[in-house]
Amino acid sequence: MNIKSILIEKANAAMQAAGIPEGTNPAVTQSTRPQFGDYQINGAMGAAKALKTNPRELAQKIIDNLDVADLAEKTEIAGPGFINIHLKPEFLATSLEAANADAKLGVAEHDTPHKVVVDFSSPNLAKEMHVGHLRSTIIGDAVVRALEFRGDTVIRQNHMGDWGTQFGMLIAHLEDLLNQGVDLENVALADLESFYRDAKKRFDDEAGFADKARDYVVKLQGGDAHCQKLWQMFIDTSVKHSEEVYGKLNVTLTRDDIMAESAYNDRLAGVIELLKEQGIAVEDQGAQVVFLDELANKDGEPSVFIVQKSGGGFLYSTTDLAACDYRSNELDVDRILIFVDARQGLHFNQVEITARKAGLLKDKTSYEPSLFGTMMGNDGKPFKTRTGGTVKLSDLLDEAVSRATEKLADRASDLSDEARQEIARKVGIGAVKYADLSKHRTSDYIFNWDTMLSFEGATAPYLQYAYTRVRSIFRKANMDSASLTGRIQVQAPQEKALALKLLQLEEVLDLMISEATPHVLCSYLYELASLYMTFYEACPILKDDVAADVRESRLVLCNLVANSLKTGLDLLGIEVMEQM
């Protein structure tokens, strides 16, 4: 259920009946304070300005035509023309009962599901995944989960970097090691960073090696069987490293989702020919260049977008244009979401403008580079090791679990060592993910172990613990929560506040999906947990003097809170535990 959508529909009908032009924004919002109702319709002010009439009088006309008797107990005009909507407790109770009986908690699937490509993670297979890959991987995964939860068809695509000049260098180095009898997986590629560093040193310092590497690039791109065999050996082992990280992170990417740069190799020459035929790309100093007046600088000079190098080589730009063509024209998707560092914003603007001019992107396909900020250290600079090196993502996750283990050691528990280790894993990984996902996607943020592993405030450990506290109520009552069938009563103010928040999950998911912003779900879950704690303190549940029907009602609310926390955290890729 989406109460906001229901009110928007009813407000639109009332505004048209009141003589307001169709398409006028009703400006429906959640109220910020209980005295202003539960929702507000604020469109009267804007409409009155356009119609040159009194906003309060127009608001009254809207109310006169507003059909909300089934869900609102009171409507009122406040201030210059705000319309406050106070929802009926009976409506809230009935809606909650339906949500409790639904595996998806009352969240409906889209009436018209979309087909969406989501391009996320996209590590370079020449190196191990590092902290710079964290945001793309987990933000993309959270949005994918939400899209599927709402019924959209999602095509995951991991646009791995597995092509280009560096691979000639790498396969040449690999060939030499194999000829020396070095074991591929356990020695040669056990540490991708060292492997890359050694190959690069040979490229820079060893006579003849650079020429061999360049020759191997040409052979690889030309389909040479020997070079492709070496390249595939490198790729297979490199992908295993990424899969290990995805397993630790609890993300839904698999090997089947890989749509790497090399997958578009056969399309690249055709893309360039199309751009040349249409006069979009022109030769400049031997290269093929697209000059984009749409992105001209303040002096009127067009933005320069190189799509083919002077030597005939292809670039990221060529591959991304080919990807547009494949996704829009062959897969026929409605949306393309790409989770990428904010510093690549200009590049993807150039890609979209060029692709639309050339017909590589259909009008119906929305192209959405979802830019994200940088993980920063306490010094305000991009997060690095103490020696200034790149932090491997796998090492970061291992340290998170280790720190969570130490944190949990201070808490009294009768759980087995095995159970405590599993909890530490969920807490450590969850802490890293929530700390990142809870920040607005476009923001930089400071990485801080103490803050993210705290059991207080907006953190994963706090929410995981809140879930276990709710579940403990049913253990104390010796009751199976799935057997609850009682009617819900919304009487106390704390019950109403909690009920309203529980029914807003679909609204939150719709916002998260439309703007690709998981932080709104993080905020929702923290607010829900906080409201539950207030409800728990004010509304006794298992005390002897609580009437049976009231106890049953409050237990149903507890069950909905637990299921909502679990569902929401799962959509973020964060695991819960029954005890902690």
Side-chain angles (χ1 to χ4, degrees):
M1 165 176 285
N2 190 323
I3 298 174
K4 183 176 179 180
S5 292
I6 294 171
L7 288 173
I8 289 173
E9 183 178 345
K10 290 180 177 292
N12 278 328
M15 291 174 74
Q16 289 181 47
I20 298 171
E22 184 177 356
T24 302
N25 182 9
V28 175
T29 64
Q30 296 176 15
S31 296
T32 56
R33 297 180 185 177
Q35 61 266 36
F36 300 144
D38 304 308
Y39 285 82
Q40 291 181 318
I41 301 172
N42 299 328
M45 281 83 74
K49 184 176 181 180
L51 296 172
K52 295 182 172 54
T53 188
N54 184 289
R56 284 185 64 91
E57 292 177 2
L58 191 58
Q60 185 60 56
K61 288 182 181 179
I62 295 172
I63 287 179
D64 292 342
N65 290 280
L66 189 62
D67 180 18
V68 292
D70 56 336
L71 54 87
E73 63 179 354
K74 183 174 69 170
T75 59
E76 61 186 3
I77 301 173
F82 301 108
I83 299 174
N84 297 338
I85 308 292
H86 298 260
L87 298 175
K88 287 181 176 178
E90 298 82 4
F91 166 76
L92 297 175
T94 302
S95 301
L96 287 171
E97 288 164 8
N100 189 55
D102 180 19
K104 286 195 169 183
L105 305 172
V107 176
E109 294 193 350
H110 286 139
D111 293 334
T112 306
H114 288 150
K115 188 176 183 182
V116 188
V117 159
V118 183
D119 177 338
F120 65 113
S121 192
S122 307
N124 186 336
L125 292 183
K127 299 180 180 180
E128 287 187 55
M129 292 180 71
H130 55 79
V131 293
H133 297 114
L134 177 67
R135 304 208 74 185
S136 173
T137 303
I138 64 175
I139 297 173
D141 188 60
V143 173
V144 161
R145 290 170 183 252
L147 284 163
E148 290 183 330
F149 193 75
R150 288 288 273 126
D152 286 337
T153 298
V154 177
I155 301 170
R156 295 165 175 78
Q157 290 198 338
N158 195 349
H159 192 87
M160 286 181 163
D162 68 342
W163 210 241
T165 304
Q166 74 269 31
F167 283 93
M169 174 185 77
L170 294 169
I171 61 177
H173 182 52
L174 176 59
E175 179 184 56
D176 289 346
L177 292 177
L178 292 174
N179 289 337
Q180 295 168 22
V182 174
D183 179 73
L184 168 67
E185 193 165 336
N186 295 326
V187 179
L189 298 179
D191 185 337
L192 286 171
E193 296 295 323
S194 296
F195 185 88
Y196 185 92
R197 188 166 52 249
D198 292 345
K200 184 67 167 65
K201 181 173 175 56
R202 293 185 67 191
F203 186 90
D204 293 339
D205 301 337
E206 185 177 315
F209 183 80
D211 291 335
K212 181 180 179 180
R214 294 188 186 99
D215 181 52
Y216 273 23
V217 172
V218 175
K219 288 182 176 180
L220 175 64
Q221 294 181 343
D224 179 82
H226 175 66
C227 288
Q228 287 203 336
K229 181 180 178 181
L230 290 172
W231 172 80
Q232 192 62 55
M233 292 171 69
F234 180 89
I235 294 304
D236 287 343
T237 304
S238 188
V239 166
K240 288 181 182 178
H241 285 265
S242 298
E243 289 179 316
E244 290 171 4
V245 173
Y246 296 146
K248 288 181 180 181
L249 268 177
N250 185 33
V251 299
T252 56
L253 279 172
T254 69
R255 186 175 288 247
D256 291 339
D257 301 315
I258 296 174
M259 190 69 180
E261 290 176 358
S262 59
Y264 301 101
N265 192 50
D266 293 342
R267 297 172 177 263
L268 303 182
V271 167
I272 298 301
E273 286 306 309
L274 177 67
L275 295 175
K276 289 165 64 177
E277 288 172 5
Q278 296 184 1
I280 296 171
V282 296
E283 184 174 330
D284 186 81
Q285 299 181 47
Q288 292 298 321
V289 181
V290 178
F291 292 98
L292 298 171
D293 293 325
E294 296 89 340
L295 299 174
N297 63 21
K298 61 182 180 180
D299 296 322
E301 299 168 336
S303 178
V304 177
F305 187 47
I306 303 173
V307 294
Q308 188 177 29
K309 293 188 286 188
S310 57
F314 301 113
L315 302 114
Y316 293 127
S317 55
T318 332
T319 305
D320 286 332
L321 289 169
C324 287
D325 185 32
Y326 172 70
R327 293 163 177 175
S328 182
N329 292 304
E330 190 166 322
L331 295 180
D332 192 31
V333 299
D334 301 296
R335 298 177 71 189
I336 299 171
L337 292 171
I338 305 173
F339 289 91
V340 66
D341 189 291
R343 288 167 289 190
Q344 297 187 50
L346 173 60
H347 167 79
F348 283 98
N349 279 344
Q350 293 173 322
V351 168
E352 180 178 12
I353 292 170
T354 303
R356 293 207 185 277
K357 284 183 175 181
L360 299 173
L361 273 177
K362 293 190 290 192
D363 289 342
K364 83 156 204 171
T365 304
S366 173
Y367 190 73
E368 304 171 41
S370 302
L371 310 179
F372 55 80
T374 305
M375 178 196 295
M376 314 292 279
N378 288 323
D379 58 359
K381 299 178 180 179
F383 191 67
K384 300 284 186 181
T385 64
R386 291 181 179 177
T387 58
T390 301
V391 179
K392 295 180 182 179
L393 186 48
S394 183
D395 291 345
L396 179 82
L397 300 177
D398 288 343
E399 183 173 356
V401 175
S402 177
R403 286 175 177 263
T405 301
E406 294 176 6
K407 191 89 171 177
L408 290 166
D410 298 332
R411 302 173 71 89
S413 173
D414 56 0
L415 296 172
S416 67
D417 288 343
E418 183 179 359
R420 290 171 69 87
Q421 290 173 5
E422 179 66 2
I423 291 169
R425 181 189 66 79
K426 291 179 178 179
V427 169
I429 301 300
V432 170
K433 295 181 77 169
Y434 187 92
D436 189 302
L437 294 170
S438 62
K439 308 302 186 296
H440 193 290
R441 170 171 50 78
T442 60
S443 300
D444 297 341
Y445 76 96
I446 301 295
F447 186 92
N448 184 284
W449 286 115
D450 292 336
T451 299
M452 68 177 59
L453 284 165
S454 174
F455 281 83
E456 298 178 357
T459 67
Y462 171 79
L463 292 174
Q464 289 166 321
Y465 182 58
Y467 173 79
T468 65
R469 283 192 63 181
V470 182
R471 297 299 305 157
S472 70
I473 290 174
F474 296 101
R475 290 194 295 274
K476 291 176 185 176
N478 194 26
M479 176 182 290
D480 178 8
S481 59
S483 67
L484 289 168
T485 58
R487 302 298 300 273
I488 293 179
Q489 303 173 32
V490 179
Q491 298 175 340
Q494 295 84 359
E495 289 174 317
K496 183 175 183 182
L498 185 60
L500 194 60
K501 184 61 67 174
L502 284 165
L503 292 172
Q504 290 171 343
L505 177 58
E506 187 174 309
E507 292 178 36
V508 171
L509 293 182
D510 281 350
L511 181 59
M512 172 181 170
I513 287 168
S514 66
E515 299 186 1
T517 49
H519 79 279
V520 299
L521 178 56
C522 293
S523 297
Y524 169 83
L525 295 174
Y526 177 64
E527 291 164 6
L528 177 63
S530 300
L531 286 171
Y532 173 78
M533 296 304 177
T534 302
F535 156 79
Y536 182 79
E537 294 295 328
C539 302
I541 300 169
L542 300 180
K543 289 186 177 180
D544 293 339
D545 58 350
V546 177
D549 60 336
V550 174
R551 178 184 296 110
E552 185 84 357
S553 169
R554 290 174 179 172
L555 283 169
V556 175
L557 284 175
C558 291
N559 188 51
L560 273 166
V561 169
N563 288 339
S564 297
L565 288 173
K566 183 176 182 179
T567 297
L569 287 170
D570 181 66
L571 292 174
L572 296 172
I574 297 173
E575 299 172 90
V576 297
M577 60 291 292
E578 296 301 305
Q579 292 179 270
M580 198 166 180

